[in-house]
Amino acid sequence: MPTLVVRLPDGSENEHEVTGELKLGRQAGNDLLLTEGGVSRNHARVFEDGGTVFIEDLGSANGTFVDGERIAEPTPLTPQSEVVLGDYTLRLKAAAAPSRSGPRKAAKSAPPPVEEMPVGAEGSGARATRALPSMKPRPPAGAPPPKRPARPAKPAGAASEGGAAGGGAAGGGAGPMLKGLVGPWAGRTYPLKGKVLVGRQPPALVILEDDSVSRRHAELEATASGVTVKDLGSANGTLLNGEPLGPEPVELQPGDQLQFGVVELSFEAEEVALAAPVRRGSGPIPTRRGGAAAAPSEEEAAPPNRKKLMMVAGGVVGLLVVAAVVKVAMPAHGPVDAVVDPAGPVADPAEQIQALLSECRSYASNELGSSPNWARAEESCTKALDLDPIHPEANTLIRRIKLEKESFEHYSTGEKALQRLKPDEALEAFSKIPKESEYFRRGKSKAREAAEQVTKRALDDCKRYLGNSQLSAAVPRCEQYMAVWCQGQPREDLQPPLGYTMKLEGRLRRNEWRPKDSLYVRFLVARFRLDPNAAPWVCPVTEIIGPDEATTDPRSVVDAAVKKRFNHKLLQAAMMDYWAGRGSEALATLQKLRGNYEAAAFHAQSDELVRIMSTVDQLFKNGETFLAGDDPEKAAEPFREALQVDKELMLDLAESKPSFYRRNILQDMAEKSYQRGREWADRQDRRRACRVWKLGFGFYAGNPDLNKAAAFCSSLASDALRDAGGCPDLAAVLDFAVKGDGVAEKVDEKKKEWSCP
């Protein structure tokens, strides 16, 4: 039987037997769930036909590549074929065929993905890593660490400057750091303390917002002996001075250049003994690698002129040391706040809060295929609250996380008890899960399973004990059964109606009532005989084993409203056809009514509906034509008019029970705007991208990708406002600002302050 081998982005591999058909995608329900970047919800399928295994693309956004070529139809696979789906690599392993040696044809780079947002941490959903041409193969896993590559040669005269930069880029005692060299990262510094993850989004500490960087790209570790770096199986690899790294850590030296995808950074570290004077007789000079290099004394090896220069330099250094000691001993004359932090500029608290909230949402999400980590999510949100105790989103998140954390504990306890054949304990644990929790729905079926086991045993005991008149044993067992049984019973079968009293024995008189269920009556009688002063028994509310809430069909709601508004059946039928998107059928029904002269009283209504429905249908088609041409900006005008006319027809139901036209306008406009904005973002035109994203967001705020894009634009607006130096800069701020984020109001204040036209 053929086997499909799937290589994950982290380098590990899984095997899956091809039996019939395997569906691949990131949406739940696929046979192979691939949740990393570049994979569509329903991406491809692998199937066997006549002894041959085929792969077929299912209209994915980023395509399926076999041996470097994008496929458009079912393509046969062999053990030598290499299949690329986003960040995943697939190959076929035949059951009976011997393995063939030799290198496989390397897959070509996939085109830039268009399915997810290219905006870094703010768009924390999974998105594809842009594959780059592979210049050199990476070292295989388990191979010995490669020989350390040499640093690029520096220009003449840069040696002394490089030494100073290595120790003074961040000020004295700043410690090791990475410093950006290109693009928007140029000049930015990233301190290195302990283990530091480099990636495209949290939980990475060094976040590089570029599609060529994987979500978990590389790891650096700073220890007392130095700093090491290793690649984490990233899509485009990690280069050290132009040479690819493998999974084994390699030690860094000051001045080394690291490249993550296309992002280049330099490593800088403090060198303590950089300018220290050399004393005679001090023995061999220790090297950076810990070895000892025998060297002649400076006076013996250096020429006379150099000796004089060294003496002068030593004197200058001595004076500087004395001045430093005096300065430390004297009290500071300036304010403490004026001291520059050697670790670099302090991050904006608002940015820190947003980063922590993004991390909190990531840990609390189960969209990436793993269970939420409520403890880590609570930790991140708590840190955000430490910075802003009244932050509304942080407080909302922390309340939800605490509720879900407790619910998860009850759910886990119930599962374990159920597995250990303790249904009583399981039912008690499941009953503690609040209805607002997402674990309520998951625990409902398990709670009912536990309840069935409890009631089956309790019912047998209840009947047997009642039959033997063992009231003290019967009452608790019957009560245990009744507590579950009563959840599905109407109130009128459990309690007397208003104005009636319960009578369990004897003949009923006026205003007296008795339950219909005989076992329930026997239980109440036994309970009363056991304790005549006991309070009346009331069915305990246990929502998790109660009946499911009835869901209202939106069509029935619309149908009831239409029948109440229109008296003629043909008018009602036309309205329902329009609501369902059958515009031509609706118009044909209205024309039929118009041709019936006996229904002349309804002709005016029919004509009005024809006018409105025809207008909406034509405007909808015009807008869809523009969307087909990837131009949501032109589609916006006919779509807005169509929505306005649709609301005149549907009235109050327009928003709560939207018609086919409204639903499709909102969703299609949001999706196309997001895709078009991505294209502008790929061209590095963020202002144009944000204008398109905001356009789609104004139509429909329920698209998750568009929500992330809008949040990204809002953060750009805040940055642009902070960096604005005059009135001309405020136009860019408004291009980024999103309605409701408060930036537009701040721009108005700035205009008044600067007297802008």
Side-chain angles (χ1 to χ4, degrees), residues 340-365:
V340 178
D341 184 1
V346 179
D348 184 3
E351 294 181 358
Q352 290 183 358
I353 292 173
Q354 290 303 319
L356 289 169
L357 291 181
S358 177
E359 184 177 342
C360 177
R361 287 190 293 265
S362 298
Y363 284 125
S365 172

Side-chain angles (χ1 to χ4, degrees), residues 44-73:
R45 71 184 185 106
V46 176
F47 61 95
E48 186 179 11
D49 187 9
T52 303
V53 178
F54 293 81
I55 186 167
E56 179 183 10
D57 187 83
L58 299 178
S60 63
N62 296 325
T64 302
F65 294 80
V66 177
D67 293 333
E69 300 294 332
R70 184 165 184 167
I71 64 173
E73 57 185 10

Side-chain angles (χ1 to χ4, degrees), residues 513-589:
W513 176 87
R514 183 180 300 159
K516 297 178 182 179
D517 189 88
S518 59
L519 184 61
Y520 180 47
V521 173
R522 293 174 65 191
F523 157 66
L524 295 178
V525 170
R527 186 173 178 271
F528 176 77
R529 290 179 179 177
L530 191 65
D531 184 5
N533 297 321
W537 188 83
V538 178
C539 178
V541 178
T542 309
E543 293 182 332
I544 200 163
I545 58 174
D548 295 327
E549 294 183 357
T551 57
T552 304
D553 181 16
R555 181 180 179 85
S556 61
V557 176
V558 176
D559 185 60
V562 167
K563 288 180 178 178
K564 185 177 180 180
R565 182 177 168 191
F566 298 99
N567 296 327
H568 200 282
K569 290 185 178 181
L570 292 181
L571 291 176
Q572 298 170 3
M575 283 292 296
M576 295 306 298
D577 283 337
Y578 169 83
W579 180 81
R582 298 186 292 270
S584 57
E585 288 86 343
L587 294 176
T589 301

Side-chain angles (χ1 to χ4, degrees), residues 446-521:
K446 293 184 178 294
R448 287 178 174 173
E449 180 183 347
E452 288 178 4
Q453 298 180 24
V454 169
T455 53
K456 183 178 180 181
R457 290 157 52 181
L459 178 60
D460 293 339
D461 291 343
C462 174
K463 291 181 177 179
R464 185 170 62 253
Y465 294 145
L466 287 175
N468 296 330
S469 299
Q470 298 176 348
L471 302 185
S472 59
V475 168
R477 294 300 285 163
C478 291
E479 188 169 12
Q480 194 171 23
Y481 166 76
M482 292 297 170
V484 177
W485 168 81
C486 69
Q487 303 298 323
Q489 304 300 317
R491 180 187 177 279
E492 54 269 19
D493 289 347
L494 300 175
Q495 298 178 10
L498 188 64
Y500 284 74
T501 58
M502 182 181 293
K503 185 176 181 181
L504 300 176
E505 296 178 297
R507 184 178 178 181
L508 293 178
R509 298 179 181 179
R510 186 179 181 184
N511 296 335
E512 291 181 342
W513 176 87
R514 183 180 300 159
K516 297 178 182 179
D517 189 88
S518 59
L519 184 61
Y520 180 47
V521 173

